[in-house]
Amino acid sequence: MAEKTKTNKEDFIPLTVEFSGGLEMLFSNQKKHDVSIPARDESGNSSNIAFLVRYLCDNLMKDPKKEFFIQDNTVRPGILVLINDADWQLEGEDEYEVKKGDNILFVSTLHGG
Amino acid sequence: MPPPCTRCQSERAVIVRPKNYDKLCKTCFLEVFEAEVHKTITTNALFYPGERVAIGASGGKDSTVLASVLKTLNTRHGYGLDLILLSIDEGITGYRDHSLETVKRNAVQYDLPLKVLSYTELYGWTMDQVVEQVGKKGNCTYCGVFRRQALDRGAASLGVRHVVTGHNADDVAETVLMNLLRGDLPRLSRTASIVTSTPSSAQTDIKRSKPLKYAYEKEIVLYAHHKNLDYFSTECIYSPEAFRGSARTLVKDLERVRPSSILDIVRSGEDMATLVPASVAPKAASGRESRYGGENVSVVYDLDEGTGGCGSANGRDSGGEMARMEHQLRTDQNAATHGLETEVTMASLGTPTSGSSIAVGVRPSHVQMKKANGKGLRQQTAGACERCGYISSQAVCKACVLLEGLNKNRPKASIGIEKTNDSETLDKGLAKVTLAEKKRQQVAQTEL
């Protein structure tokens, strides 16, 4: 029973989310954000990166240019995602289920060099 | 938890390599990345021992990684290179001023000398001033044309004959696609070449190369990340190029589906280049190839002055002797104010003309343009701009045409060039600008 109350919809997962490579400009020019996201997504599944991205778009991003961050319901191609400093491709990409204390870094490769 | 590194089998993997899906740990990734750049350098014999090499440095990820890797490899493998950072200050407040601070820090971090050359010094205009006059649309053309010459002039002023740029595999793939979509095979073949050069009548024959040509942008960004390199990333505050943006999006979309696509496009570009007939793809004379370090390297001559804007300078370049010619230009203006015709100077530049107002629209006899099937392949033959002496396939180089428009407060003539690369449009632009030649000189005089 205790397990069940732990995972009810009110539960949140604390995470550190970072933006760099120019992406920070879409997030109030701030690179590092401590956020808490719901432990369950809209359909009641464990929150994954795809949900995190939608959540950030709706709740953290003040800039209206959502398409610079999100495309086809996932991270826009050209933006690298590092989960605890490892390529998200090693972790199942946007299906990775976020865990308490995770550090998720979004790095744009699209900006000028 | 990520799987272990496929190379050392012990550390935690941090990257999946786009080219072969290898899963590498941080240490192995940094080593492999550097080893591959070293291989590109040696296979293509990019450098010779003791060579002075300027690194075109913007403070962005690509040039920062290039500077760091070259510094590392130069020490590790004893290239014996004399490396210098060369930065162009376009004069864009809130963008280049910040990135130049990064370059200045890089100079300290990598213990490399730094030379900064500004558009103000070279052209008398900052990009902020250009935009104020021409508006945000079309300003990239000015910036692109000016930057191309600026890097060469900077190199020449440093006595350096080789400029390396941070163009990566994604950039090259993007440009290959753009030229494919435009049906521009000659430019495609130049884009695909790792080394380009400009045949110049002067001594300043500047070679350009792209040591990161086979490096994925993803790996460059992750190299910078895992090495904690200090780089600056923000978009230029002025308008981006729509066409390049579309090509870029296409490349990134393809990469998501099939990461090897990027290097495949680069290779396709190289293969297509070999199919371009020599008559439209000017190559170095055989005697020059060995001079540029390596029998297996063919130097592609490039007469492209750049109609593209930011980031489109994929090794396409020109050679310059600008300082002298700028002095010449000033002399022209002095002469004009003293009632002398500009033709005196034109003749002294080696291009016989009967007066500046006619000369602007007439190509020197050694410049040929051939057109087949309307928008077909065109042959470019080296000539020199009769204003500044910069290498040009036109009578007057694009920078001078653009400058003239600016100096006359008549930017429209040059904006037309951006919409179509057709040389005929340029001619029309030239014809328009001739009319107020003298007036320009007077205006320019007061501006200077």
Side-chain angles (χ1 to χ4, degrees), chain A residues 2 6-7 10-11 14-15 26 30 34 47 51 56 59 62 76 78 81-82 90 93 100 106-107 111:
Chain A
K6 256 191 173 177
T7 54
E10 297 307 306
D11 280 343
L15 302 168
L26 297 175
Q30 190 185 324
D34 291 316
S47 293
F51 173 70
L56 293 175
N59 296 282
K62 307 273 194 297
R76 179 186 176 184
V81 186
L82 298 189
L90 294 161
E93 303 194 12
K100 187 181 169 194
F106 298 92
V107 193
H111 290 76

Side-chain angles (χ1 to χ4, degrees), chain A residues 66-82:
Chain A
K66 311 286 184 197
E67 71 277 10
F68 285 177
F69 181 55
I70 193 165
Q71 197 174 299
D72 296 330
N73 256 330
T74 188
V75 183
R76 179 186 176 184
I79 295 174
L80 306 177
V81 186
L82 298 189

